[in-house]
């Protein structure tokens, strides 16, 4: 169990009224991970945010829930997992209440998708996947993601927290899209490891209405050398 408190101060931030003000926010939360009998594992994280940005009041929260099961056989010991992530959005950009969750300074890679296009803000995120080791050296994982806007009057945000698209009247819909990922890892030697990966995003109602709605592909090959 890991409780935490983050205190963020920043100057020159723009309030909902358009004035330049100081941000003073606190993030209070905890992370709880562990194993259960029958080859089950779990993970939970909850965080709430309070404070102010000039005249604006900060009121936001986010959560993460995960459950996994590892098969004792076959030898590859496949692990199935399912998780749900949520972060609040801002229902009204002019009511002096900042309800959009601030994901602070995350390491976002593969948290809400391997393509790193969707952030932990104003989002419902479902994820399911399979991890396995076909050999002693080779590891493979696949996952499926689906995203919905938490509040249709707020927008979609990137992994950096930047706004991607917003339709304030909510007419663009809620379902953002889906993503399929596959990645692997293999040590060529004690010093060199390769890790290829591929990701594809299928746009849904919101992306089709609020953006050009084009699919997104990402392929990569990472090589790590350890001295």
């Amino acid at each position: 169990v890991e409780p935490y408190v983050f205190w963020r101060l920043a100057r020159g931030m723009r309030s909902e009224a358009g004035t330049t003000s100081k941000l003073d926010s606190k993030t209070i939360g905890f992370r709880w991970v562990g194993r259960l009998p029958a080859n089950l594992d779990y993970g939970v994280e909850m965080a709430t945010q309070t404070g102010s940005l000039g005249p604006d009041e900060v009121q936001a929260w986010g959560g993460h829930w995960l459950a996994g099961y590892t098969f004792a056989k076959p030898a590859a010991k496949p692990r199935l997992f399912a998780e749900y992530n949520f972060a609040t959005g801002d229902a009204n950009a002019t009511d002096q209440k900042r309800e959009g969750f601030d994901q602070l300074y995350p390491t976002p890679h593969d948290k809400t998708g391997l393509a790193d296009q969707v952030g932990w803000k104003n989002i419902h995120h479902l994820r399911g996947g399979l991890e396995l080791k076909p050999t002693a050296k080779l590891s493979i994982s696949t996952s499926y993601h689906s995203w919905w806007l938490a509040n249709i009057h707020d927008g979609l945000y990137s992994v950096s927290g930047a706004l991607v698209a917003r339709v304030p009247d909510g007419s663009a819909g809620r379902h953002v899209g889906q993503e399929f990922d596959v990645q692997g890892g293999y040590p060529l030697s004690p010093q060199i490891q390769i890790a290829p990966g591929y990701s594809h995003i299928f746009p849904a109602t919101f992306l089709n209405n609020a953006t050009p709605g084009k699919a997104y592909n990402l392929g990569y090959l990472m090589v790590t050398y350890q001295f």
Side-chain angles (χ1 to χ4, degrees):
V1 178
E2 181 182 25
Y4 55 81
V5 177
F6 298 119
W7 183 14
R8 184 183 179 193
L9 298 172
R11 297 186 180 276
M13 304 287 287
R14 188 170 295 277
S15 70
E16 291 190 345
T19 59
T20 301
S21 305
K22 175 184 174 182
L23 172 67
D24 183 341
S25 71
K26 288 86 176 176
T27 301
I28 304 168
F30 71 93
R31 176 174 174 264
W32 185 9
V33 298
R35 295 186 178 277
L36 297 170
N39 300 324
L40 294 169
D41 61 88
Y42 65 92
V44 177
E45 183 168 358
M46 298 283 290
T48 184
Q49 295 176 332
T50 62
S52 63
L53 196 168
D56 301 344
E57 182 182 2
V58 175
Q59 299 177 350
W61 71 278
H64 157 83
W65 299 266
L66 177 144
Y69 176 78
T70 302
F71 292 86
K73 297 180 179 180
K77 292 187 176 181
R79 175 179 177 264
L80 290 172
F81 67 89
E83 85 182 67
Y84 170 63
N85 301 294
F86 172 79
T88 55
D90 198 344
N92 187 331
T94 60
D95 63 354
Q96 294 188 338
K97 292 182 180 179
R98 303 184 71 85
E99 299 167 307
F101 186 72
D102 181 358
Q103 59 184 2
L104 301 175
Y105 310 103
T107 301
H109 179 61
D110 195 29
K111 303 303 181 185
T112 50
L114 188 64
D116 297 335
Q117 297 299 302
V118 177
W120 191 24
K121 183 175 184 176
N122 190 40
I123 205 76
H124 292 281
H125 171 223
L126 288 177
R127 180 186 187 187
L130 171 66
E131 300 171 344
L132 68 160
K133 289 181 67 68
T135 70
K137 293 184 176 181
L138 176 63
S139 62
I140 298 174
S141 65
T142 64
S143 60
Y144 163 81
H145 306 259
S146 193
W147 314 284
W148 293 262
L149 298 181
N151 192 298
I152 60 174
H153 301 288
D154 199 351
L156 174 67
Y157 294 84
S158 71
V159 291
S160 68
L163 180 66
V164 175
R166 174 191 282 150
V167 180
D169 63 5
S171 61
R174 186 181 297 274
H175 194 195
V176 174
Q178 303 168 84
E179 179 175 328
F180 173 76
D181 301 330
V182 58
Q183 57 185 324
Y186 187 85
L188 296 177
S189 72
Q191 289 78 34
I192 301 175
Q193 181 175 3
I194 60 172
Y198 173 74
S199 178
H200 180 85
I201 292 179
F202 304 87
T205 308
F206 178 80
L207 286 177
N208 286 326
N209 290 331
T211 75
K214 295 182 179 179
Y216 183 88
N217 292 278
L218 169 72
Y220 72 88
L221 175 62
M222 182 171 64
V223 180
T224 303
Y225 183 87
Q226 181 174 346
F227 293 91

